[in-house]
Amino acid sequence: MASLVEAAENVKLGAWAGLQPAIIINVQRQPGANVIATVDAIKARLGDRPVASLVDLPAMTDPGTLATMEVLGEMSAAALWEDPLLYALVVAREVNLSLEHGNCDASSFAYTLLGMLFGPILGDYAAAEAFGQLGHALVERDQLDHYRSRVYQL
């Protein structure tokens, strides 16, 4: 079990944003986590639909899922530096959440990052291009600004 304390246990080791205590999140890849199985789950969830059709998913509205997407989106670069397999799992998890709950700002970035994985790593360059175009289409159509520069950079 765990207990929740609304204070830093050790202020010298705590995280701070200015003078305010912040939250430290430690995310690690679980032993045995399978990137291929996670990507296969995306393919299964997608089914026969073309990737481009995902632009028409409803907007994500669940606050918890939106917060999860935001955290995963912001940590993707750090995950890449820490463990490339963790990075792939983070990106795939974001895409699976989008397929399940609809699109949000972070979805555009996740789709684009997934395209980067599909091409060079999985050898599926057609899917890579389709996911990259999907990320761009979401940013342009829905005027999603938070990840715009990152999506265009990729």
Side-chain angles (χ1 to χ4, degrees):
M1 293 299 238
S3 60
L4 177 65
V5 178
E6 292 190 31
E9 183 176 318
N10 180 337
V11 295
K12 300 208 186 294
L13 296 176
W16 297 86
L19 298 176
Q20 296 295 318
I23 297 172
I24 298 174
I25 299 175
N26 183 9
V27 179
Q28 298 173 327
R29 180 173 48 91
Q30 295 296 314
N34 189 327
V35 175
I36 301 301
T38 305
V39 170
D40 285 346
I42 292 171
K43 290 178 179 179
R45 188 167 291 209
L46 186 59
D48 292 333
R49 295 180 290 177
V51 171
S53 71
L54 300 180
V55 75
D56 295 322
L57 289 175
M60 188 179 292
T61 57
D62 177 63
T65 307
L66 285 166
T68 300
M69 289 290 290
E70 186 68 23
V71 168
L72 292 173
E74 292 300 325
M75 69 171 275
S76 60
L80 177 59
W81 286 103
E82 176 63 28
D83 180 350
L85 292 176
L86 174 61
Y87 168 77
L89 290 167
V90 166
V91 170
R93 179 66 181 140
E94 280 188 284
V95 170
N96 271 317
L97 285 171
S98 297
L99 292 174
E100 186 176 341
H101 297 279
N103 290 323
C104 67
D105 228 353
S107 300
S108 60
F109 189 42
Y111 292 138
T112 307
L113 292 175
L114 186 69
M116 290 178 54
L117 295 173
F118 263 78
I121 295 173
L122 300 174
D124 189 346
Y125 290 95
E129 182 179 10
F131 277 108
Q133 289 176 347
L134 172 61
H136 283 253
L138 273 175
V139 163
E140 292 167 7
R141 186 194 75 178
D142 294 343
Q143 297 300 304
L144 302 174
D145 293 326
H146 187 77
Y147 291 97
R148 179 184 303 272
S149 63
R150 290 181 244 187
V151 167
Y152 287 159
Q153 179 184 5
L154 302 174

PDB file of all heavy atoms in Angstrom, residues 40-54 57 96 99 118 127 131 134:
ATOM      1  N   ASP A  40       1.308  -4.198 -32.614  1.00  0.00           N
ATOM      2  CA  ASP A  40       0.291  -5.098 -33.169  1.00  0.00           C
ATOM      3  C   ASP A  40      -1.092  -4.753 -32.616  1.00  0.00           C
ATOM      4  O   ASP A  40      -2.088  -4.875 -33.328  1.00  0.00           O
ATOM      5  CB  ASP A  40       0.635  -6.554 -32.881  1.00  0.00           C
ATOM      6  CG  ASP A  40       1.768  -7.082 -33.751  1.00  0.00           C
ATOM      7  OD1 ASP A  40       2.110  -6.421 -34.754  1.00  0.00           O
ATOM      8  OD2 ASP A  40       2.335  -8.143 -33.406  1.00  0.00           O
ATOM      9  N   ALA A  41      -1.161  -4.321 -31.360  1.00  0.00           N
ATOM     10  CA  ALA A  41      -2.444  -3.907 -30.782  1.00  0.00           C
ATOM     11  C   ALA A  41      -2.987  -2.676 -31.505  1.00  0.00           C
ATOM     12  O   ALA A  41      -4.202  -2.552 -31.706  1.00  0.00           O
ATOM     13  CB  ALA A  41      -2.284  -3.622 -29.290  1.00  0.00           C
ATOM     14  N   ILE A  42      -2.098  -1.779 -31.910  1.00  0.00           N
ATOM     15  CA  ILE A  42      -2.535  -0.605 -32.687  1.00  0.00           C
ATOM     16  C   ILE A  42      -3.111  -1.064 -34.021  1.00  0.00           C
ATOM     17  O   ILE A  42      -4.186  -0.619 -34.429  1.00  0.00           O
ATOM     18  CB  ILE A  42      -1.356   0.370 -32.913  1.00  0.00           C
ATOM     19  CG1 ILE A  42      -0.940   1.015 -31.601  1.00  0.00           C
ATOM     20  CG2 ILE A  42      -1.720   1.433 -33.953  1.00  0.00           C
ATOM     21  CD1 ILE A  42       0.338   1.810 -31.673  1.00  0.00           C
ATOM     22  N   LYS A  43      -2.398  -1.961 -34.685  1.00  0.00           N
ATOM     23  CA  LYS A  43      -2.862  -2.455 -35.981  1.00  0.00           C
ATOM     24  C   LYS A  43      -4.204  -3.165 -35.842  1.00  0.00           C
ATOM     25  O   LYS A  43      -5.094  -3.004 -36.682  1.00  0.00           O
ATOM     26  CB  LYS A  43      -1.822  -3.385 -36.601  1.00  0.00           C
ATOM     27  CG  LYS A  43      -0.565  -2.678 -37.053  1.00  0.00           C
ATOM     28  CD  LYS A  43       0.441  -3.679 -37.619  1.00  0.00           C
ATOM     29  CE  LYS A  43       1.698  -3.009 -38.110  1.00  0.00           C
ATOM     30  NZ  LYS A  43       2.679  -3.982 -38.631  1.00  0.00           N
ATOM     31  N   ALA A  44      -4.359  -3.950 -34.779  1.00  0.00           N
ATOM     32  CA  ALA A  44      -5.623  -4.663 -34.570  1.00  0.00           C
ATOM     33  C   ALA A  44      -6.756  -3.682 -34.288  1.00  0.00           C
ATOM     34  O   ALA A  44      -7.870  -3.850 -34.801  1.00  0.00           O
ATOM     35  CB  ALA A  44      -5.483  -5.652 -33.411  1.00  0.00           C
ATOM     36  N   ARG A  45      -6.481  -2.668 -33.494  1.00  0.00           N
ATOM     37  CA  ARG A  45      -7.511  -1.677 -33.165  1.00  0.00           C
ATOM     38  C   ARG A  45      -7.885  -0.860 -34.400  1.00  0.00           C
ATOM     39  O   ARG A  45      -9.018  -0.465 -34.579  1.00  0.00           O
ATOM     40  CB  ARG A  45      -7.027  -0.763 -32.049  1.00  0.00           C
ATOM     41  CG  ARG A  45      -8.105   0.147 -31.525  1.00  0.00           C
ATOM     42  CD  ARG A  45      -7.676   0.769 -30.250  1.00  0.00           C
ATOM     43  NE  ARG A  45      -7.644  -0.300 -29.253  1.00  0.00           N
ATOM     44  CZ  ARG A  45      -7.847  -0.127 -27.974  1.00  0.00           C
ATOM     45  NH1 ARG A  45      -8.067   1.060 -27.517  1.00  0.00           N
ATOM     46  NH2 ARG A  45      -7.800  -1.130 -27.141  1.00  0.00           N
ATOM     47  N   LEU A  46      -6.905  -0.610 -35.244  1.00  0.00           N
ATOM     48  CA  LEU A  46      -7.145   0.136 -36.481  1.00  0.00           C
ATOM     49  C   LEU A  46      -7.991  -0.687 -37.446  1.00  0.00           C
ATOM     50  O   LEU A  46      -8.872  -0.162 -38.120  1.00  0.00           O
ATOM     51  CB  LEU A  46      -5.807   0.520 -37.114  1.00  0.00           C
ATOM     52  CG  LEU A  46      -5.826   1.406 -38.331  1.00  0.00           C
ATOM     53  CD1 LEU A  46      -6.507   2.733 -38.028  1.00  0.00           C
ATOM     54  CD2 LEU A  46      -4.413   1.652 -38.819  1.00  0.00           C
ATOM     55  N   GLY A  47      -7.741  -2.000 -37.484  1.00  0.00           N
ATOM     56  CA  GLY A  47      -8.513  -2.887 -38.363  1.00  0.00           C
ATOM     57  C   GLY A  47      -8.318  -2.542 -39.824  1.00  0.00           C
ATOM     58  O   GLY A  47      -7.196  -2.277 -40.261  1.00  0.00           O
ATOM     59  N   ASP A  48      -9.406  -2.501 -40.564  1.00  0.00           N
ATOM     60  CA  ASP A  48      -9.351  -2.219 -42.003  1.00  0.00           C
ATOM     61  C   ASP A  48      -9.445  -0.730 -42.321  1.00  0.00           C
ATOM     62  O   ASP A  48      -9.404  -0.353 -43.490  1.00  0.00           O
ATOM     63  CB  ASP A  48     -10.489  -2.962 -42.729  1.00  0.00           C
ATOM     64  CG  ASP A  48     -10.288  -4.468 -42.705  1.00  0.00           C
ATOM     65  OD1 ASP A  48      -9.124  -4.907 -42.624  1.00  0.00           O
ATOM     66  OD2 ASP A  48     -11.296  -5.199 -42.750  1.00  0.00           O
ATOM     67  N   ARG A  49      -9.624   0.088 -41.290  1.00  0.00           N
ATOM     68  CA  ARG A  49      -9.747   1.530 -41.540  1.00  0.00           C
ATOM     69  C   ARG A  49      -8.417   2.088 -42.050  1.00  0.00           C
ATOM     70  O   ARG A  49      -7.354   1.725 -41.547  1.00  0.00           O
ATOM     71  CB  ARG A  49     -10.105   2.294 -40.259  1.00  0.00           C
ATOM     72  CG  ARG A  49     -11.459   1.970 -39.690  1.00  0.00           C
ATOM     73  CD  ARG A  49     -11.702   2.771 -38.438  1.00  0.00           C
ATOM     74  NE  ARG A  49     -10.824   2.281 -37.362  1.00  0.00           N
ATOM     75  CZ  ARG A  49     -10.742   2.799 -36.154  1.00  0.00           C
ATOM     76  NH1 ARG A  49     -11.463   3.858 -35.839  1.00  0.00           N
ATOM     77  NH2 ARG A  49      -9.947   2.294 -35.246  1.00  0.00           N
ATOM     78  N   PRO A  50      -8.478   2.995 -43.001  1.00  0.00           N
ATOM     79  CA  PRO A  50      -7.234   3.663 -43.397  1.00  0.00           C
ATOM     80  C   PRO A  50      -6.768   4.598 -42.283  1.00  0.00           C
ATOM     81  O   PRO A  50      -7.580   5.151 -41.534  1.00  0.00           O
ATOM     82  CB  PRO A  50      -7.620   4.438 -44.660  1.00  0.00           C
ATOM     83  CG  PRO A  50      -9.100   4.514 -44.654  1.00  0.00           C
ATOM     84  CD  PRO A  50      -9.613   3.377 -43.811  1.00  0.00           C
ATOM     85  N   VAL A  51      -5.469   4.769 -42.153  1.00  0.00           N
ATOM     86  CA  VAL A  51      -4.912   5.639 -41.118  1.00  0.00           C
ATOM     87  C   VAL A  51      -5.508   7.035 -41.220  1.00  0.00           C
ATOM     88  O   VAL A  51      -5.823   7.669 -40.212  1.00  0.00           O
ATOM     89  CB  VAL A  51      -3.369   5.672 -41.206  1.00  0.00           C
ATOM     90  CG1 VAL A  51      -2.781   6.730 -40.292  1.00  0.00           C
ATOM     91  CG2 VAL A  51      -2.788   4.299 -40.882  1.00  0.00           C
ATOM     92  N   ALA A  52      -5.688   7.526 -42.434  1.00  0.00           N
ATOM     93  CA  ALA A  52      -6.219   8.883 -42.635  1.00  0.00           C
ATOM     94  C   ALA A  52      -7.592   9.074 -41.999  1.00  0.00           C
ATOM     95  O   ALA A  52      -7.951  10.192 -41.607  1.00  0.00           O
ATOM     96  CB  ALA A  52      -6.281   9.207 -44.117  1.00  0.00           C
ATOM     97  N   SER A  53      -8.358   7.994 -41.844  1.00  0.00           N
ATOM     98  CA  SER A  53      -9.696   8.115 -41.256  1.00  0.00           C
ATOM     99  C   SER A  53      -9.655   8.470 -39.771  1.00  0.00           C
ATOM    100  O   SER A  53     -10.656   8.926 -39.209  1.00  0.00           O
ATOM    101  CB  SER A  53     -10.487   6.817 -41.448  1.00  0.00           C
ATOM    102  OG  SER A  53      -9.967   5.787 -40.620  1.00  0.00           O
ATOM    103  N   LEU A  54      -8.501   8.305 -39.130  1.00  0.00           N
ATOM    104  CA  LEU A  54      -8.391   8.613 -37.705  1.00  0.00           C
ATOM    105  C   LEU A  54      -8.524  10.110 -37.431  1.00  0.00           C
ATOM    106  O   LEU A  54      -8.783  10.513 -36.302  1.00  0.00           O
ATOM    107  CB  LEU A  54      -7.072   8.096 -37.135  1.00  0.00           C
ATOM    108  CG  LEU A  54      -6.850   6.584 -37.234  1.00  0.00           C
ATOM    109  CD1 LEU A  54      -5.505   6.206 -36.629  1.00  0.00           C
ATOM    110  CD2 LEU A  54      -7.983   5.818 -36.582  1.00  0.00           C
ATOM    111  N   LEU A  57     -11.799  10.861 -35.695  1.00  0.00           N
ATOM    112  CA  LEU A  57     -12.149  10.379 -34.358  1.00  0.00           C
ATOM    113  C   LEU A  57     -12.705  11.547 -33.552  1.00  0.00           C
ATOM    114  O   LEU A  57     -12.315  12.704 -33.767  1.00  0.00           O
ATOM    115  CB  LEU A  57     -10.921   9.806 -33.647  1.00  0.00           C
ATOM    116  CG  LEU A  57     -10.372   8.477 -34.156  1.00  0.00           C
ATOM    117  CD1 LEU A  57      -9.085   8.119 -33.410  1.00  0.00           C
ATOM    118  CD2 LEU A  57     -11.396   7.372 -33.991  1.00  0.00           C
ATOM    119  N   ASN A  96      -2.591   4.237 -28.837  1.00  0.00           N
ATOM    120  CA  ASN A  96      -3.678   3.367 -28.382  1.00  0.00           C
ATOM    121  C   ASN A  96      -4.734   4.145 -27.591  1.00  0.00           C
ATOM    122  O   ASN A  96      -5.931   3.918 -27.753  1.00  0.00           O
ATOM    123  CB  ASN A  96      -3.128   2.206 -27.551  1.00  0.00           C
ATOM    124  CG  ASN A  96      -2.769   1.009 -28.403  1.00  0.00           C
ATOM    125  OD1 ASN A  96      -3.511   0.638 -29.303  1.00  0.00           O
ATOM    126  ND2 ASN A  96      -1.627   0.416 -28.140  1.00  0.00           N
ATOM    127  N   LEU A  99      -6.806   6.044 -30.104  1.00  0.00           N
ATOM    128  CA  LEU A  99      -7.744   5.171 -30.806  1.00  0.00           C
ATOM    129  C   LEU A  99      -8.931   4.802 -29.918  1.00  0.00           C
ATOM    130  O   LEU A  99     -10.051   4.637 -30.396  1.00  0.00           O
ATOM    131  CB  LEU A  99      -7.036   3.897 -31.276  1.00  0.00           C
ATOM    132  CG  LEU A  99      -5.996   4.080 -32.384  1.00  0.00           C
ATOM    133  CD1 LEU A  99      -5.270   2.776 -32.650  1.00  0.00           C
ATOM    134  CD2 LEU A  99      -6.636   4.611 -33.647  1.00  0.00           C
ATOM    135  N   PHE A 118       7.437   3.391 -37.400  1.00  0.00           N
ATOM    136  CA  PHE A 118       6.977   2.431 -38.404  1.00  0.00           C
ATOM    137  C   PHE A 118       7.950   2.310 -39.564  1.00  0.00           C
ATOM    138  O   PHE A 118       8.171   1.222 -40.072  1.00  0.00           O
ATOM    139  CB  PHE A 118       5.595   2.830 -38.943  1.00  0.00           C
ATOM    140  CG  PHE A 118       4.463   2.125 -38.276  1.00  0.00           C
ATOM    141  CD1 PHE A 118       4.023   2.512 -37.035  1.00  0.00           C
ATOM    142  CD2 PHE A 118       3.836   1.054 -38.893  1.00  0.00           C
ATOM    143  CE1 PHE A 118       2.982   1.863 -36.406  1.00  0.00           C
ATOM    144  CE2 PHE A 118       2.789   0.394 -38.280  1.00  0.00           C
ATOM    145  CZ  PHE A 118       2.356   0.798 -37.031  1.00  0.00           C
ATOM    146  N   ALA A 127       2.886   2.997 -43.912  1.00  0.00           N
ATOM    147  CA  ALA A 127       2.221   3.360 -42.651  1.00  0.00           C
ATOM    148  C   ALA A 127       2.925   4.547 -42.005  1.00  0.00           C
ATOM    149  O   ALA A 127       2.267   5.421 -41.432  1.00  0.00           O
ATOM    150  CB  ALA A 127       2.191   2.168 -41.696  1.00  0.00           C
ATOM    151  N   PHE A 131       0.863   7.884 -40.999  1.00  0.00           N
ATOM    152  CA  PHE A 131       0.774   8.424 -39.641  1.00  0.00           C
ATOM    153  C   PHE A 131       1.374   9.829 -39.571  1.00  0.00           C
ATOM    154  O   PHE A 131       0.860  10.688 -38.850  1.00  0.00           O
ATOM    155  CB  PHE A 131       1.439   7.491 -38.628  1.00  0.00           C
ATOM    156  CG  PHE A 131       0.539   6.372 -38.183  1.00  0.00           C
ATOM    157  CD1 PHE A 131       0.761   5.076 -38.604  1.00  0.00           C
ATOM    158  CD2 PHE A 131      -0.541   6.625 -37.341  1.00  0.00           C
ATOM    159  CE1 PHE A 131      -0.075   4.045 -38.193  1.00  0.00           C
ATOM    160  CE2 PHE A 131      -1.388   5.601 -36.928  1.00  0.00           C
ATOM    161  CZ  PHE A 131      -1.146   4.305 -37.360  1.00  0.00           C
ATOM    162  N   LEU A 134      -1.206  12.095 -40.971  1.00  0.00           N
ATOM    163  CA  LEU A 134      -2.309  12.213 -40.016  1.00  0.00           C
ATOM    164  C   LEU A 134      -1.983  13.248 -38.943  1.00  0.00           C
ATOM    165  O   LEU A 134      -2.822  14.090 -38.604  1.00  0.00           O
ATOM    166  CB  LEU A 134      -2.601  10.853 -39.375  1.00  0.00           C
ATOM    167  CG  LEU A 134      -3.602  10.840 -38.221  1.00  0.00           C
ATOM    168  CD1 LEU A 134      -4.974  11.330 -38.673  1.00  0.00           C
ATOM    169  CD2 LEU A 134      -3.686   9.447 -37.612  1.00  0.00           C
TER     170      LEU A 134
END
